[in-house]
Amino acid sequence: VSLAFREGRISPTELCRKCLNRIKKTQRLNAYITVTDEFAMSQARQSEARLLQGVDALMHFVLGIPKGPLDGIPFAVKDNFCTANIRTTCASKMLKDYTPPYNATVVQKLLDQGAVLMGKTNMDEFAMGAGSTDGVFGPVRNPWSYAASYRTQGGAASDSDWVITGGSSGGSAAAVASCTSYLALGSDTGGSTRNPGALCGVFALKPTYGLLSRHGLIPLVNSMDVPGIITRSVSDAAIVLGVLQGIDVRDSTTVPAPSALTDLPEDFDVRNICVGIPKEYHAPGLSEETLAQWSRVADLFEKAGARVKQVSLPHTRYSIVCYHVLCHTEVASNMARFDGLEYGHRSEMKSSTEVMYASTRHEGFNDVVRGRILSGNYFLLKQNYQHYFVKAQKVRRLIADDFRHVFGSGVDVLLTPTTLNDAACYHDFTQEDNRTRSAQEDVFTQPANMAGLPAVSVPIALSRRGLPIGLQLIGPALEDKKLLCVAQWIEQRVGFPSISDCDDTQESRKDPRVTRREQTSAV
Amino acid sequence: MIKMLAFQTLRVVSLKIIGSSCNLLTNNVYSITKRCSLRSLQSQILRPLSSHQHNLKVPKVPTWEPVPEEELPRIPADLVDKLERLALVDFRTQQGLECLEKAIRFADQLHVVDTSGVEPMDSVLEDRALYLRDDTVTEGDCAEELLKLAKNTVEEYFVAPPGNIPLPRREERAAILRHSEF
């Protein structure tokens, strides 16, 4: 669509208006907490002014001072990234009326490129959860719940059979899947970007830890958080990664980008790569269909000449437990900043500071957050510190070493499932509590966070219920570009249906001026 | 007809289950309450996937079992009180306490792993040198903006209730918090 802009076939303001209308139409998805319509339109107008400069714009492109391919492209941001003067809530009562005075670095970089911010998306409270069902603004619905494929094959009897998006960046994934924005930022601590990416049938990238700045991302687990990128095509994700990567002086855990990310090659030769299949990733509870897709893609690689071999990551089964302990302990520490004094919700109780803190936190946090803080504090008690926290840190090293050995033995990329099943319907998902669900859903995605490695989820096919299934690729640290090349190779060959093919509602999106590819991809 | 045969040789779906639940998921946590219609199953038969042979590199069955969990640990009342004071967060209900007990039981699985001689890992970036910049002030001076975010301020100060007063006993706390609930 970036090309369509430059050729004048469609203008940024038209596209912005279309997306805003679409957001209104898809309100039942509850994907957005805050829609920034005026801000978006003013940005779109500025983008249009730049493009209409005609020769000057061309000169800008030639001289290389430009806004670039993301100019005028609508994007959405998960509500735990700070956005100046725009409410940022983390889907929690604690920050319900909080308006940050600054932009997160990654948001600022996108705005500097001229991208148009559509709004802040819904999520699980403080990014804790695997379903986007536990935020204070309500659960997010998967756009595929209303697609013809699910309505006919999934056995959905009524409107109340909608399925979840996965979490915790469910709103971002729903926004991209329902075409209300071309790309979205999520955060990934244990799979929070890849999980909804797989369940909503969109491409999700978790870059190497440290490649993208976390300044402005309200932290959950400092040693594992990464801003994630959700797009409908791999090429878009590559462009966004190229824009966002790099050292930030405001975030001391950033590392220099390995090289400027140029466009991904159109025909990547897989004969040079070795794909590893870690056998422990056939975990108890994996669905038959996901297994079949995993096998099918492994076959695709073999037939094309890549080397495919089975490898072992022996500590995988303990990875989720280790993640559980480290996550809770870091959360207990990070949530301590919410005392009501400097920002956020403040309780009316004022008999003493301690009472004020306790009641502020009682009122502001939901059960999930409070549960995690309490268990985190339990693991950090002097009597338990060595036994749980330090033990978990040691197991973390074993897990990171497992990956290092496998990548050191000549494997270029690992192919695994992303989730155990396709999206569950809300009624079934809420039968168990948040902690249990997170422990089940995150089993394939969190090892990559523990080791800080880049990982992507690629949509592969629809299940028998008509819902998306995705597969995950994990690569060595800082080799995000190669990972994207392999992902694009798969994308080109699996033929994942677009939601518009499965959408039986009348859509004004079918605009003859914009090609089908341009409706889905930014470039 | 050939496609029907190919379909039957698959382990994945057997024709016996037409008419009964379509729960093909081995995960028994989700219960699929909807039944697939015969028509939709038949439409699956014609899908190319049904004639797919399983890749030998991908394991056909799960390669591990979940670690059996032991009894729920019991948390003594004084520890509950201590945790609530440290975290300044209360359990609210018995369910909250049970949740913590389940979390601890889950975490106990760690102890079967042998970590002798392994150093704890703080950060995945431990092999790198931290990027340092000059110790010069480049930004700041935004007190006004930050004070705007707080609910209770006086001039350049955040106003806090009186300190050095210990938190009341657990029973009183519960009463206070119930009072402050939305």
Side-chain angles (χ1 to χ4, degrees):
Chain A
V1 79
S2 180
L3 185 63
F5 284 161
R6 276 177 277 151
E7 289 179 0
R9 282 180 276 132
I10 182 170
S11 72
T13 46
E14 270 186 86
L15 185 61
C16 182
R17 213 170 288 123
K18 268 197 181 157
C19 286
L20 288 172
N21 285 339
R22 200 159 164 69
I23 293 177
K24 283 203 192 75
K25 277 206 201 113
T26 52
Q27 228 162 20
R28 62 187 166 175
L29 297 179
N30 199 16
Y32 286 85
I33 294 178
T34 313
V35 181
T36 50
D37 23 23
E38 281 166 28
F39 184 57
M41 284 309 292
S42 86
Q43 284 179 292
R45 278 191 285 270
Q46 286 173 30
S47 172
E48 193 160 310
R50 280 190 291 270
L51 285 163
L52 285 177
Q53 273 166 35
V55 174
D56 290 310
L58 188 59
M59 288 311 290
H60 276 147
F61 273 109
V62 166
L63 296 171
I65 316 174
K67 293 286 185 175
L70 292 178
D71 203 349
I73 304 288
F75 77 105
V77 167
K78 187 175 177 183
D79 212 9
N80 58 354
F81 284 91
C82 288
T83 39
N85 307 318
I86 299 171
R87 190 173 69 143
T88 297
T89 64
C90 292
S92 171
K93 271 198 202 110
M94 185 61 87
L95 291 177
K96 209 166 183 190
D97 299 307
Y98 173 64
T99 318
Y102 68 104
N103 273 328
T105 305
V106 289
V107 173
Q108 188 63 55
K109 281 187 177 174
L110 284 176
L111 291 173
D112 288 342
Q113 286 291 314
V116 174
L117 178 64
M118 289 286 124
K120 308 299 292 296
T121 58
N122 204 349
M123 48 190 276
D124 275 310
E125 182 157 344
F126 280 111
M128 299 190 199
S132 298
T133 48
D134 283 311
V136 98
F137 296 98
V140 187
R141 300 186 182 198
N142 195 323
W144 288 84
S145 319
Y146 302 103
S149 54
Y150 177 66
R151 293 272 133 201
T152 53
Q153 290 166 239
S158 68
D159 189 53
S160 63
D161 283 331
W162 54 273
V163 293
I164 56 163
T165 46
S168 55
S169 313
S172 295
V176 173
S178 61
C179 305
T180 53
S181 64
Y182 276 70
L183 60 108
L185 289 179
S187 70
D188 196 314
T189 307
S192 295
T193 309
R194 289 160 287 158
N195 183 303
L199 299 185
C200 294
V202 288
F203 180 71
L205 164 65
K206 169 209 159 313
T208 308
Y209 178 82
L211 201 55
L212 263 54
S213 167
R214 285 181 301 114
H215 175 75
L217 168 61
I218 295 175
L220 184 67
V221 179
N222 297 74
S223 63
M224 296 185 217
D225 275 352
V226 192
I229 298 169
I230 299 177
T231 54
R232 290 191 287 270
S233 71
V234 182
S235 47
D236 283 352
I239 306 257
V240 179
L241 183 64
V243 165
L244 297 181
Q245 67 181 4
I247 285 236
D248 182 19
V249 294
R250 295 192 184 93
D251 179 358
S252 61
T253 55
T254 47
V255 298
S259 61
L261 208 66
T262 48
D263 287 326
L264 299 177
E266 270 299 315
D267 39 15
F268 176 73
D269 192 354
V270 289
R271 284 172 302 179
N272 301 328
I273 66 159
C274 176
V275 177
I277 309 275
K279 63 180 192 209
E280 290 83 3
Y281 277 68
H282 189 149
L286 182 66
S287 80
E288 293 283 1
E289 292 180 298
T290 315
L291 178 65
Q293 292 298 335
W294 191 13
S295 172
R296 170 185 165 218
V297 175
D299 278 345
L300 271 177
F301 276 118
E302 270 188 321
K303 289 203 181 80
R307 277 166 295 135
V308 175
K309 70 179 196 185
Q310 200 180 76
V311 294
S312 175
L313 295 167
H315 294 97
T316 305
R317 74 175 76 179
Y318 306 113
S319 180
I320 184 72
V321 185
C322 182
Y323 170 74
H324 167 87
V325 173
L326 290 177
C327 175
H328 288 217
T329 48
E330 292 216 32
V331 157
S333 169
N334 277 323
M335 294 294 127
R337 71 191 66 197
F338 296 109
D339 54 14
L341 272 184
E342 300 95 346
Y343 42 73
H345 174 69
R346 179 175 173 145
S347 158
E348 296 299 322
M349 308 257 112
K350 42 188 188 226
S351 51
S352 75
T353 343
E354 305 276 311
V355 167
M356 193 278 277
Y357 290 164
S359 53
T360 300
R361 290 155 75 83
H362 169 89
E363 294 163 17
F365 291 142
N366 73 359
D367 291 333
V368 177
V369 181
R370 290 204 328 253
R372 289 205 191 188
I373 295 174
L374 286 163
S375 46
N377 276 103
Y378 179 85
F379 297 135
L380 289 171
L381 289 174
K382 241 198 283 208
Q383 70 220 47
N384 294 329
Y385 193 81
Q386 284 292 328
H387 199 56
Y388 288 102
F389 183 62
V390 177
K391 178 85 181 177
Q393 287 189 309
K394 291 181 179 174
V395 176
R396 184 177 184 179
R397 182 178 294 283
L398 289 175
I399 292 166
D401 283 347
D402 277 352
F403 279 108
R404 213 189 318 239
H405 291 145
V406 163
F407 286 126
S409 70
V411 171
D412 293 296
V413 78
L414 292 170
L415 175 69
T416 78
T418 312
T419 52
L420 289 171
N421 310 293
D422 56 1
C425 68
Y426 179 71
H427 175 77
D428 292 334
F429 187 77
T430 44
Q431 297 300 312
E432 293 268 3
D433 68 278
N434 183 293
R435 193 199 62 83
T436 317
R437 285 293 182 227
S438 300
Q440 288 159 354
E441 296 296 318
D442 286 341
V443 70
F444 300 125
T445 45
Q446 40 74 26
N449 292 85
M450 303 274 280
L453 301 175
V456 299
S457 170
V458 189
I460 302 289
L462 293 182
S463 67
R464 277 186 186 78
R465 285 165 70 215
L467 296 170
I469 293 180
L471 289 182
Q472 176 178 228
L473 290 167
I474 307 176
L478 294 176
E479 297 210 15
D480 304 63
K481 181 166 179 189
K482 198 200 298 191
L483 200 60
L484 288 171
C485 290
V486 179
Q488 189 175 59
W489 188 91
I490 296 180
E491 178 190 53
Q492 288 164 343
R493 281 154 186 80
V494 290
F496 183 75
S498 155
I499 197 174
S500 54
D501 292 342
C502 308
D503 200 348
D504 51 8
T505 63
Q506 290 241 321
E507 278 309 328
S508 57
R509 254 184 317 115
K510 294 190 181 11
D511 189 331
R513 292 170 298 165
V514 185
T515 68
R516 197 142 170 286
R517 189 197 149 85
E518 285 164 348
Q519 280 170 22
T520 47
S521 291
V523 285
Chain B
M1 207 46 206
I2 294 170
K3 291 230 164 98
M4 283 285 278
L5 283 172
F7 188 67
Q8 277 179 322
T9 56
L10 262 192
R11 254 185 334 103
V12 176
V13 174
S14 88
L15 290 171
K16 290 202 290 288
I17 69 168
I18 292 175
S20 64
S21 165
C22 269
N23 188 354
L24 302 164
L25 307 177
T26 53
N27 184 353
N28 58 8
V29 171
Y30 297 144
S31 64
I32 306 294
T33 52
K34 299 290 171 278
R35 284 142 155 59
C36 298
S37 70
L38 175 62
R39 191 164 46 86
S40 75
L41 243 192
Q42 281 179 337
S43 72
Q44 307 312 316
I45 293 168
L46 299 174
R47 278 223 201 142
L49 190 61
S50 61
S51 54
H52 165 75
Q53 283 265 336
H54 191 89
N55 184 306
L56 292 171
K57 309 275 168 43
V58 177
K60 279 196 190 168
V61 293
T63 47
W64 51 275
E65 292 282 312
V67 176
E69 292 180 352
E70 291 137 26
E71 273 184 32
L72 273 181
R74 288 277 150 240
I75 305 185
D78 58 343
L79 189 56
V80 170
D81 183 56
K82 185 176 182 181
L83 281 175
E84 288 189 346
R85 279 174 192 279
L86 276 177
L88 284 176
V89 160
D90 64 308
F91 282 93
R92 198 178 265 185
T93 57
Q94 180 61 20
Q95 204 184 26
L97 189 57
E98 277 166 16
C99 207
L100 172 63
E101 288 167 349
K102 280 196 209 135
I104 300 171
R105 182 178 69 171
F106 188 65
D108 280 334
Q109 290 178 36
L110 269 184
H111 301 111
V112 304
V113 186
D114 178 21
T115 52
S116 38
V118 180
E119 284 298 306
M121 181 188 229
D122 292 313
S123 162
V124 293
L125 300 176
E126 58 189 3
D127 296 330
R128 295 184 162 264
L130 197 63
Y131 170 81
L132 296 173
R133 67 182 180 108
D134 291 333
D135 188 13
T136 49
V137 177
T138 49
E139 49 185 17
D141 229 0
C142 48
E144 245 187 75
E145 273 186 73
L146 295 177
L147 284 167
K148 267 194 277 197
L149 299 171
K151 287 235 169 92
N152 209 340
T153 55
V154 163
E155 290 183 18
E156 288 204 331
Y157 295 89
F158 294 112
V159 178
N164 272 332
I165 301 174
L167 208 54
R169 281 197 326 274
R170 199 154 180 254
E171 305 72 37
E172 285 174 50
R173 284 207 301 268
I176 294 174
L177 291 175
R178 237 192 316 276
H179 182 67
S180 85
E181 213 146 295
F182 275 112

